[in-house]
Amino acid sequence: MPVPSVPLGSEPSVVPPRRRRRKEARPGEILDAALEVFSAKGFSAARPDEIAALAGISKGTLYLYFPSKEELFKAMVRQTVLPNVGEMERWAAAFDGSATEMFQGLLARIARLFSTHRVGRMPKIIISEATAFPELAQFWIGEVVERAFAVMRSILDRGVAAGEFTPVRAEAVIVLFSPMLMLALWNQSIGPAVGRPLDPEMIAAEAARFLLDGIRVREEAR
Amino acid sequence: MPVPSVPLGSEPSVVPPRRRRRKEARPGEILDAALEVFSAKGFSAARPDEIAALAGISKGTLYLYFPSKEELFKAMVRQTVLPNVGEMERWAAAFDGSATEMFQGLLARIARLFSTHRVGRMPKIIISEATAFPELAQFWIGEVVERAFAVMRSILDRGVAAGEFTPVRAEAVIVLFSPMLMLALWNQSIGPAVGRPLDPEMIAAEAARFLLDGIRVREEAR
DNA sequence: CGAATTAATGACTAACCAGTCAGTAAGTTG
DNA sequence: CAACTTACTGACTGGTTAGTCATTAATTCG
């Protein structure tokens, strides 16, 4: 019996030979595995052998597609992050509503993205590795931070123009993002280690409330 | 000339022999060097040889004082962090003023601490290593996060009691800390790699403004 | 079907590194 | 000053790992 028989009732697909040639599918699978392992262990502790095994290939094959561990790491960051930035920009460009609603919507969107998609793991990775890979940090600033800040600025400008918002200085925009970043960092490192995850929706809602109106009681009397 | 002469005008201290016996001073010096190297490279990439060299001793001596790299790491975290938490608690207990002033004061204090003292490097280290050292994350939660949250809660309670603040749910307290944590993380990883440090005082002031009153314009009209 | 092409493999190597320990010398005691 | 104690050293070991390459086998083409 050289070829194992396919069990009755299973998919009519072919039984996979030990070594399949799948040049097109490999890079994506490798990058998926790399995200998994890099985000769990950090750059130095992640082993190419483990990434390869998770992708269902040998280490030699991994090095056929990526010239080094470092290049693999950078490619993984690009593939994970860039599509999501573009999508956020399109959402912002098409948004129809008040600046307040848009601000709340942006935070809620980021919270949902971080909790459902693996981009949520990127802030932790970038912060951990920025010192060792300044080049990566520069890429991150240019391709992610700048573009996210631009989206936030467009919301603020809309709000100021409509008389909804007070002006906000450019250097302080990061403060408006900080609760969502904290959420991602917490849920990807300290939270799981301690069994106390944060609820993304609740954090987004509370952050929007604080940042829009603050925790002080409104002065009713003049 | 077996003993090199001390140059005129220099300190009247003895010329250090190659091997000095300084049992009392070593642990502290080693922990300082460890903070330096661990915060620059992360746990896995930091080499005991390098830490020892920075502390002015050999690797063998390092292992005389700490049984392993991991124990050295934990001792370094404890020594760096604990004294500062206690000081913050004493400040809070002695504070005399409105809740608003206390909130602003706390953020300003944290900003100053992070920019002048090496505790500013701890958030990055903890977040990076929490997955690999769950035990460390638990220590951090219990000894730092809980106590910092308690200080913040005391401010919020004072504010609510005085009619200054609206009530804030316990799970959302982290949002009030997030700008200061973001500041520390940025200035210890992405910022330097990209030549764009954040100004701590400005971030503290803007964060306090946003969190107290929000970015929305106050409704003058009823 | 047989030859040619190339995707995939995994044993190998060169380098690295945490931790050890036999030996050295600084300091102490009688 | 001699005998002793102990802080300190650094060459070494055992284990690990990033990256290589000769070999194998899946696929294509004539």
Side-chain angles (χ1 to χ4, degrees), chain A residues 17 20 23 114 121 126 173 192 212:
Chain A
R20 254 180 308 182
K23 194 179 180 175
F114 279 174
R121 302 187 178 181
I126 301 292
V173 168
L212 287 168

Side-chain angles (χ1 to χ4, degrees), chain A residues 19-22 26 58 61 65:
Chain A
R19 311 163 118 197
R20 254 180 308 182
R21 296 162 61 112
R22 294 168 54 247
R26 297 297 187 209
S58 72
T61 304
Y65 290 97

Side-chain angles (χ1 to χ4, degrees), chain A residues 5-89:
Chain A
S5 63
V6 176
L8 284 175
S10 72
E11 313 294 316
S13 65
V14 278
V15 171
R18 265 151 312 210
R19 311 163 118 197
R20 254 180 308 182
R21 296 162 61 112
R22 294 168 54 247
K23 194 179 180 175
E24 297 71 24
R26 297 297 187 209
E29 294 172 3
I30 296 172
L31 290 170
D32 284 355
L35 171 59
E36 198 59 38
V37 176
F38 278 130
S39 66
K41 313 214 161 165
F43 182 80
S44 337
R47 293 185 296 105
D49 249 328
E50 189 181 348
I51 295 171
L54 192 62
I57 56 171
S58 72
K59 186 167 57 155
T61 304
L62 190 160
Y63 279 94
L64 241 41
Y65 290 97
F66 298 92
S68 70
K69 188 179 165 185
E70 186 167 339
E71 286 304 317
L72 171 61
F73 181 69
K74 290 190 214 158
M76 176 275 287
V77 174
R78 279 184 204 99
Q79 130 140 354
T80 306
V81 135
L82 291 188
N84 292 289
V85 181
E87 205 179 326
M88 187 177 71
E89 285 170 340

